[in-house]
Amino acid sequence: MTGAKTYFVTTAIDYVNNLPHIGTAYEKICADVIARFKRLEGEPVFFLMGNDEHSINVKREAQARGLEPHAYCDQMADQFRQIWKSLGISYDAFIRTTEERHAEAVSKLFQRIYENGDIYPSKYSGLYCESCEAFYREKDLADGKCPQHGSEPKWIEEDNYFFALSRYTEKILKIIEEKRLLILPEIRKNEIMNILHGGLEDISISRSSFDWGIPLPIQPDHVIYVWFDALINYISAIGFGWDEDLFPQFWPADMHIVGKDITRFHCIIWPAMLLSAGLEVPRMVFGHGFVSLKGEKMSKTLGNVVTPMDIVDVYGPDALRYYLLRDSSFGKDGNFTWENFLERYNGDLANDFGNLLQRVLTMIRRYRSGTIPTPHTLKEEDEALKKDCLALCSDVRTFLDPTRGGDVDFHLALARLWETIRHTNQYIDHTAPWTLQKEGAEERLDTVLSSAAESLRIIGAVLSPFLPDAASGLFEQLGLPDRPDKLTPEAPTTWGQIPAGTKVRKPKPLFPRIVPEEEGSDPPGKPKPKKKEPGKKEGEEVTIDQFDRFDLRAGRILEAERVPNTEKLLKLTVDIGEKRTIVASIGKAFAPEALLERTVVVIANLKSVRIRGILSEGMLLAAGTDEALSLVTLSGQVAPGEKIR
Ligand code: MSP
């Protein structure tokens, strides 16, 4: 590698005691857009993600599953990677804190800080929140509880080693004031400045009461505090401690993207560690907002976690990407509701965007036998569309590049893209190709159809960092050789790039409209019909662990009745070791009384949904069409509630 420094963008590394939810996915999607946009503009990019494995909660979760922590972390890493892949996250490297290269970097950085005289032994006694993996001062608690998790911190007393963080207060203030470390958005910067103005205290950086972690080089019966360990991932992944030539090609990081809850670790402790070791500080930390569910924090205990795969399996990755990017402002908190999700999906994706592609392709096929025509002289309205398209990429960039003074705002970037999408729809309404066809205005029709196609090509190019699958589908259906990850920087900034004689394909909806099955029911979590992507989702391999996540049980049907005013809904009471109400769409094939005493297979841990006001707590397995349906039933002596493996 030569020349310009590679743009280095990172996300937080995730604790692996839980699988990703849409909040953690949000962060990865945002970083992915930044990385893809930079690549689109021809900049060399290195996009790093990873897993944070040395947490006490990770060890506990492994123990609860009867696994050795390393084996558990291996399994989780596979699952995380698979989920990120399904979301189209284009990371270049994935670091795990249990890797050897990471341990080497941690030891080396520790040694440098130690040699600089910033590490000393002392006794720690105080409060510790195991969910944050953070030490708390009494005055920082809310009613004696952790302000992040609402749980009571533990009192711990240990012989620890300390890092002399207090020595760095002034230095950090200075680098922030001089904008050598940019903190965005402003509200996060203010929080950090307040902490700094209050003065910093030294922090404990080792733990002596447990052994899951990297041994302290100077006292191997201690392990390094998980945050001190985790922050070093940003340099261990790029050669620090194991490839000194590689390291300067990437460091300093251009953008650390992290949640608002952990901005202080990145803007205070991390720069202090780097300064002590004589390394450069990151150029920017962006502390994004939280995605919550109907205003509530998502958590396993509240049982309200929406996983990315709940959405991706049904609607495809771009629907989730679009919603998360479009519906909240990056620096602020956002909210997920299925209602808003469906509205955006049907309105923005299926209607505005999907329809535009569909109608342009249909007209090219109908009026020009599927070949995109060559344009003639452009008129004012064509010029206006061209101008809009040519400004699109640089307009979108202004919302993604905070070094220009603004914040990063994905929702504004997408709003700008949708302006051009709507403009192109209006252009078609206004130029009315169907009338031009009727009137025999052949040259004008050529120009209008080719301009609309050209506009779609540019929209596809600029959209590709946000919705890579949809962009790919758009290029494919337009018959273009372009692939979203192989575009040249000129692709979105030059007009008239469609090769002569390009043949479009038969239109296929990129975002098929989703109508909830039963009118009046809540938008379903997993509506049918399931989006099928031949060769992609179907036939995809799953691991035994993924299969194990389905709690399949034998269920005996005790009661069955029709749900009033519906054709195919039956309300069943099923014994699966406990009584469950299940609303099943099987009423066209079965009379309620025919189902009594049958032993069926129930997915017992399916997320509950309210259908026609009835809470349905599971699903039966069946095959066939609505009218000719076969239920999966069990023969022989199987007790209700028996686990099916
Ligand atoms: N392991 C630490 C980070 C170490 S980085 C050196 C950690 N892990 S985490 O799994 O709890 O969180 C990972 C990231 O997801 C963090 O940036 C966190 O702020 C973010 N989010 C966690 N919940 C979130 C939402 N509900 N919404 C948006 N981001 C969320 O912290």
Side-chain angles (χ1 to χ4, degrees):
M1 213 176 293
T2 53
K5 179 189 157 309
T6 299
Y7 191 89
F8 183 30
V9 55
T10 71
T11 66
I13 52 173
D14 294 350
Y15 290 132
V16 295
N17 44 321
N18 292 313
L19 284 168
H21 54 65
I22 55 166
T24 39
Y26 172 60
E27 175 176 297
K28 290 15 181 203
I29 293 169
C30 293
D32 185 58
V33 174
I34 299 281
R36 284 179 185 265
F37 197 84
K38 291 271 174 202
R39 290 190 200 114
L40 174 68
E41 296 209 300
E43 218 174 302
V45 170
F46 193 77
F47 172 20
L48 174 68
M49 287 177 30
N51 282 351
D52 190 352
E53 302 183 326
H54 286 135
S55 154
I56 181 73
N57 297 310
V58 171
K59 185 172 177 189
R60 280 204 189 117
E61 192 63 31
Q63 276 166 341
R65 291 167 192 237
L67 288 170
E68 197 270 320
H70 280 285
Y72 169 75
C73 289
D74 287 348
Q75 284 182 7
M76 292 303 271
D78 285 347
Q79 293 191 49
F80 269 75
R81 284 199 185 103
Q82 213 163 0
I83 292 169
W84 300 141
K85 192 170 156 234
S86 310
L87 289 178
I89 310 293
S90 62
Y91 58 80
D92 295 296
F94 195 88
I95 181 85
R96 297 176 49 191
T97 53
T98 49
E99 284 177 59
E100 194 46 44
R101 59 177 175 155
H102 178 71
E104 279 175 32
V106 170
S107 300
K108 182 166 173 190
L109 196 84
F110 180 91
Q111 206 66 37
R112 281 214 198 168
I113 298 174
Y114 181 65
E115 280 160 15
N116 194 32
D118 281 336
I119 287 172
Y120 62 91
S122 188
K123 215 176 191 51
Y124 180 82
S125 63
L127 295 158
Y128 192 76
C129 169
E130 288 183 341
S131 297
C132 298
E133 293 278 18
F135 300 94
Y136 275 96
R137 293 175 298 187
E138 198 86 49
K139 64 175 181 163
D140 296 328
L141 300 176
D143 290 334
K145 299 199 169 130
C146 163
Q148 305 286 346
H149 295 93
S151 50
E152 265 179 40
K154 272 193 170 168
W155 181 262
I156 57 170
E157 287 184 12
E158 284 180 12
D159 284 328
N160 283 176
Y161 281 83
F162 278 70
F163 171 52
L165 185 64
S166 58
R167 283 192 200 156
Y168 290 89
T169 313
E170 292 308 319
K171 288 190 181 118
I172 297 172
L173 270 171
K174 191 157 177 272
I175 58 168
I176 296 172
E177 274 157 7
E178 287 173 359
K179 293 202 165 45
R180 282 165 53 207
L181 167 62
L182 201 61
I183 303 173
L184 289 168
E186 192 68 18
I187 179 173
R188 301 278 99 79
K189 180 183 163 189
N190 295 340
E191 278 168 17
I192 300 296
M193 294 307 263
N194 282 343
I195 299 176
L196 287 164
H197 285 132
L200 299 176
E201 287 175 14
D202 293 352
I203 55 162
S204 160
I205 53 148
S206 76
R207 301 293 310 273
S208 52
S209 58
F210 61 91
D211 59 0
W212 177 234
I214 297 175
L216 205 70
I218 51 170
Q219 183 150 357
D221 59 334
H222 283 208
V223 292
I224 292 183
Y225 167 47
V226 62
W227 268 101
F228 200 85
D229 160 351
L231 288 161
I232 298 172
N233 89 86
Y234 301 125
I235 57 174
S236 69
I238 52 169
F240 182 81
W242 53 272
D243 188 340
E244 297 306 322
D245 291 334
L246 197 64
F247 179 62
Q249 293 174 20
F250 302 104
W251 195 255
D254 293 274
M255 191 173 187
H256 284 321
I257 298 181
V258 299
K260 62 176 185 178
D261 56 331
I262 60 169
T263 314
R264 64 205 156 99
F265 292 92
H266 288 78
C267 298
I268 296 176
I269 300 180
W270 181 223
M273 288 163 67
L274 292 162
L275 289 171
S276 173
L279 296 174
E280 281 185 75
V281 298
R283 291 184 176 156
M284 189 201 315
V285 174
F286 196 106
H288 62 77
F290 263 40
V291 177
S292 57
L293 191 77
K294 290 189 173 156
E296 274 182 357
K297 186 174 169 162
M298 258 178 285
S299 86
K300 230 175 167 181
T301 29
L302 287 171
N304 63 355
V305 174
V306 180
T307 76
M309 299 318 286
D310 287 343
I311 296 165
V312 172
D313 284 348
V314 181
Y315 302 89
D318 285 353
L320 176 65
R321 292 173 70 106
Y322 182 77
Y323 178 77
L324 290 176
L325 294 165
R326 180 71 183 90
D327 229 53
S328 37
S329 167
F330 191 42
K332 305 204 178 106
D333 289 344
N335 207 356
F336 180 90
T337 70
W338 284 100
E339 291 80 356
N340 291 349
F341 170 76
L342 265 194
E343 216 175 291
R344 287 263 178 222
Y345 178 90
N346 284 329
D348 299 3
L349 295 175
N351 201 29
D352 293 342
F353 174 66
N355 256 356
L356 172 62
L357 177 64
Q358 190 113 357
R359 67 201 292 224
V360 172
L361 295 177
T362 306
M363 289 188 295
I364 293 174
R365 283 164 62 86
R366 191 171 296 158
Y367 306 145
R368 289 294 176 263
S369 316
T371 304
I372 302 178
T374 319
H376 303 272
T377 320
L378 300 193
K379 281 191 169 182
E380 199 180 322
E381 55 214 350
D382 316 321
E383 290 288 359
L385 185 67
K386 176 178 165 185
K387 192 168 165 224
D388 179 356
C389 288
L390 290 181
L392 183 60
C393 193
S394 67
D395 284 358
V396 165
R397 185 196 306 119
T398 57
F399 300 116
L400 300 182
D401 191 350
T403 51
R404 290 156 181 262
D407 274 347
V408 183
D409 255 318
F410 300 100
H411 79 294
L412 295 179
L414 283 171
R416 173 63 189 86
L417 254 153
W418 254 250
E419 272 175 25
T420 304
I421 289 173
R422 295 200 176 110
H423 183 173
T424 314
N425 266 318
Q426 284 157 8
Y427 170 82
I428 294 168
D429 296 343
H430 181 69
T431 52
W434 43 93
T435 310
L436 297 173
Q437 159 77 5
K438 253 193 232 148
E439 291 169 350
E442 299 298 339
E443 289 202 350
R444 185 74 198 123
L445 184 58
D446 281 349
T447 306
V448 167
L449 292 180
S450 80
S451 299
E454 192 60 38
S455 166
L456 272 171
R457 185 190 64 78
I458 291 181
I459 288 168
V462 183
L463 192 62
S464 63
F466 302 85
L467 310 183
D469 274 13
S472 174
L474 177 146
F475 292 144
E476 211 174 290
Q477 295 195 35
L478 268 180
L480 301 174
D482 301 350
R483 288 291 158 266
D485 52 350
K486 302 261 177 323
L487 293 172
T488 61
E490 292 73 42
T493 55
T494 35
W495 188 257
Q497 293 290 299
I498 298 180
T502 297
K503 278 255 176 224
V504 303
R505 306 262 164 86
K506 196 169 166 202
K508 202 173 90 200
L510 291 176
F511 297 101
R513 225 185 137 70
I514 301 277
V515 184
E517 264 210 346
E518 296 299 322
E519 217 185 295
S521 66
D522 282 350
K526 292 188 177 181
K528 300 158 209 146
K530 206 168 159 62
K531 187 182 171 202
K532 283 182 188 159
E533 292 189 50
K536 199 166 175 210
K537 295 281 171 253
E538 281 194 322
E540 186 174 308
E541 287 180 331
V542 295
T543 63
I544 191 74
D545 290 303
Q546 285 169 321
F547 175 73
D548 273 343
R549 291 172 61 199
F550 291 95
D551 188 9
L552 299 178
R553 300 277 169 177
R556 183 153 308 145
I557 301 178
L558 304 178
E559 293 164 19
E561 61 185 88
R562 287 197 183 277
V563 177
N565 305 321
T566 66
E567 250 189 325
K568 55 177 180 182
L569 294 186
L570 298 186
K571 179 182 167 193
L572 311 174
T573 306
V574 186
D575 179 2
I576 60 158
E578 63 185 55
K579 273 193 194 175
R580 286 280 179 92
T581 301
I582 295 178
V583 178
S585 299
I586 57 174
K588 274 195 177 171
F590 295 99
E593 55 281 9
L595 293 166
L596 299 178
E597 292 310 311
R598 287 215 201 176
T599 303
V600 291
V601 175
V602 176
I603 305 182
N605 61 343
L606 190 74
K607 195 186 300 288
S608 304
V609 283
R610 196 166 284 284
I611 302 173
R612 292 282 166 135
I614 305 163
L615 191 68
S616 178
E617 310 163 287
M619 191 176 99
L620 310 191
L621 295 189
T625 59
D626 280 351
E627 285 77 11
L629 203 66
S630 263
L631 278 180
V632 179
T633 54
L634 296 165
S635 53
Q637 291 300 309
V638 183
E642 200 149 319
K643 176 115 179 116
I644 294 161
R645 287 179 296 259

